[in-house]
């Protein structure tokens, strides 16, 4: 029984269809279909009920899926155990933020691919939080303050941010001097988030309001440059605009508390080696103030 046939079946079962599984695996839909047919012929049972809307597990498929997933996981562990210092192989799917990822994390992933030519790296850049298990990701790189979850997180470095506004906005509306002043200003936000600031050792939390929202920090920077309001974004995105004078740092006496860069992965006893290697490379890159623009 081919291990790739088993992996393909597990991907189709978890993704809910051949097309989604093909994207995850980085192969054609016809290849996925051939592997499924081969596996079903080998077992002599139908594992998936195929419809125009996708594929659903049969009773036999539902039972076999858990066994197949365990076999694939055991094979991965066995490979790492007997070849701990060998080349990384197989495929790694990573989710990374669109706002920060292409500029700051893509070079690390590219270097990892260069060092390990037998490893396939598939990265999805989006500011939407993905479900690692349902969407089939090995890990995700996340920036900011983590929400409580059952995921396992490893902090790989700090990230700093500040409030910025355009000279036009400050000239027209003034600059907030303390957190409570933000109630009279237009905030540029990603949703309904709260903002936190430090007053010495004390943390002050405010609920800003504004008419312009976007799910991408780069878009918020564009809105700030246009004079629409005050944005709270990472330094790595605003540094060049502050240096050029297109944006001003405001309310400097109350800086936001440092956030973090994290690698998060689905729950399990041990991270697979490819995730450990990526984590170590990110720590090497970002655990020395690089992410703060220093």
């Amino acid at each position: 029984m081919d291990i790739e046939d088993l992996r393909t079946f597990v991907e189709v079962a978890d993704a809910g269809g051949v097309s989604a599984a093909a994207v995850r695996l980085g192969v054609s839909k016809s290849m996925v279909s051939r592997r499924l047919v081969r596996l079903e012929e080998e077992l002599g049972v139908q594992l998936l009920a195929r419809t125009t809307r996708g594929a659903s597990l049969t009773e036999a498929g539902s039972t076999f899926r858990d066994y197949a997933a365990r076999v694939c996981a055991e094979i991965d562990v066995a490979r790492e155990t007997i070849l701990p210092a060998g080349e990384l192989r197989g495929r790694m799917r990573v989710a990374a933020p669109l706002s920060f990822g292409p500029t700051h994390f893509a070079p690390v992933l590219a270097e990892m691919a260069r060092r390990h030519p037998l490893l396939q790296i598939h990265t999805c850049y989006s500011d939407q939080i993905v479900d690692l298990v349902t969407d089939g990701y090995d890990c995700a790189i996340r920036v900011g303050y983590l929400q409580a979850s059952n995921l396992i997180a490893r902090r790989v470095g700090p990230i700093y941010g500040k409030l910025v506004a355009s000279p036009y906005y400050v000239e027209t509306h003034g600059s907030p001097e303390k957190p409570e002043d933000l109630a009279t200003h237009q905030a540029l936000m990603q949703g309904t988030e709260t903002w936190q600031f430090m007053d010495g050792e004390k943390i002050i939390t405010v609920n800003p309001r504004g008419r312009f929202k976007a799910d991408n920090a780069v878009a918020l920077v564009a809105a700030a440059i246009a004079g629409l309001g005050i944005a709270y974004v990472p330094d790595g995105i605003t540094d060049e605009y502050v240096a050029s004078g297109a944006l001003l740092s405001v309310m400097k006496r109350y800086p936001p508390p440092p956030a973090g860069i994290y690698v998060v992965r689905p729950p399990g006893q041990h991270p697979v080696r490819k995730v450990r290697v990526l984590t170590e490379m990110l720590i090497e890159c970002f655990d020395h103030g690089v992410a703060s623009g220093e």
Side-chain angles (χ1 to χ4, degrees), residues 165-205:
S166 71
Y168 169 79
Y169 181 89
V170 171
E171 181 180 348
T172 305
H173 302 282
S175 176
E177 298 297 327
K178 49 189 181 299
E180 52 264 37
D181 294 346
L182 289 171
T184 62
H185 286 271
Q186 284 289 320
L188 307 172
M189 302 181 293
Q190 293 197 26
T192 56
E193 69 267 23
T194 58
W195 289 356
Q196 292 186 329
F197 304 96
M198 294 187 297
D199 181 6
E201 297 296 321
K202 179 183 177 184
I203 297 293
I204 301 174
T205 300

Side-chain angles (χ1 to χ4, degrees), residues 17-40:
V18 170
S19 297
V23 172
R24 289 187 182 188
L25 292 166
V27 300
S28 67
K29 291 189 289 185
S30 60
M31 175 65 76
V32 172
S33 296
R34 285 198 298 272
R35 290 175 178 174
L36 291 174
V37 170
R38 188 165 58 203
L39 181 61
E40 288 179 327

Side-chain angles (χ1 to χ4, degrees), residues 12-245:
V12 173
D14 293 349
V18 170
S19 297
V23 172
R24 289 187 182 188
L25 292 166
V27 300
S28 67
K29 291 189 289 185
S30 60
M31 175 65 76
V32 172
S33 296
R34 285 198 298 272
R35 290 175 178 174
L36 291 174
V37 170
R38 188 165 58 203
L39 181 61
E40 288 179 327
E41 289 177 348
E42 178 77 20
L43 293 170
V45 296
Q46 183 179 1
L47 299 173
L48 294 157
R50 299 161 180 81
T51 68
T52 55
R53 295 184 177 180
S56 59
L57 291 170
T58 63
E59 183 177 353
S62 181
T63 300
F64 187 69
R65 185 264 169 214
D66 292 338
Y67 287 105
R70 284 199 293 271
V71 168
C72 293
E74 289 295 331
I75 289 293
D76 289 339
V77 171
R79 284 175 173 170
E80 289 190 7
T81 300
I82 63 176
L83 296 172
E87 275 285 357
L88 295 179
R89 298 171 181 264
R91 175 180 53 89
M92 181 171 69
R93 296 190 75 230
V94 183
L98 178 61
S99 299
F100 215 68
T103 54
H104 290 71
F105 304 140
V108 178
L109 289 161
E111 175 60 18
M112 185 175 179
R114 188 193 67 78
R115 295 182 188 179
H116 303 279
L118 299 180
L119 178 66
Q120 302 175 44
I121 299 178
H122 299 177
T123 310
C124 175
Y125 292 98
S126 172
D127 285 331
Q128 298 296 319
I129 300 297
V130 300
D131 186 318
L132 298 187
V133 176
T134 301
D135 295 332
Y137 287 96
D138 294 288
C139 66
I141 306 170
R142 292 183 178 166
V143 173
Y145 307 99
L146 292 184
Q147 302 296 319
S149 73
N150 67 337
L151 299 176
I152 297 175
R154 173 72 186 277
R155 189 177 185 273
V156 298
I159 185 169
Y160 301 90
K162 57 177 168 282
L163 295 186
V164 293
S166 71
Y168 169 79
Y169 181 89
V170 171
E171 181 180 348
T172 305
H173 302 282
S175 176
E177 298 297 327
K178 49 189 181 299
E180 52 264 37
D181 294 346
L182 289 171
T184 62
H185 286 271
Q186 284 289 320
L188 307 172
M189 302 181 293
Q190 293 197 26
T192 56
E193 69 267 23
T194 58
W195 289 356
Q196 292 186 329
F197 304 96
M198 294 187 297
D199 181 6
E201 297 296 321
K202 179 183 177 184
I203 297 293
I204 301 174
T205 300
V206 301
N207 296 294
R209 294 183 179 182
R211 65 184 181 88
F212 186 94
K213 296 183 180 182
D215 64 354
N216 180 276
V218 176
L220 296 180
V221 169
I225 292 172
L228 297 182
I230 299 173
Y232 171 17
V233 285
D235 289 353
I237 300 176
T238 61
D239 282 342
E240 63 176 296
Y241 301 107
V242 172
S244 69

Side-chain angles (χ1 to χ4, degrees), residues 162-165 175 242 247-252:
K162 57 177 168 282
L163 295 186
V164 293
S175 176
V242 172
L247 289 175
L248 303 174
S249 176
V250 300
M251 211 174 78
K252 297 180 182 180

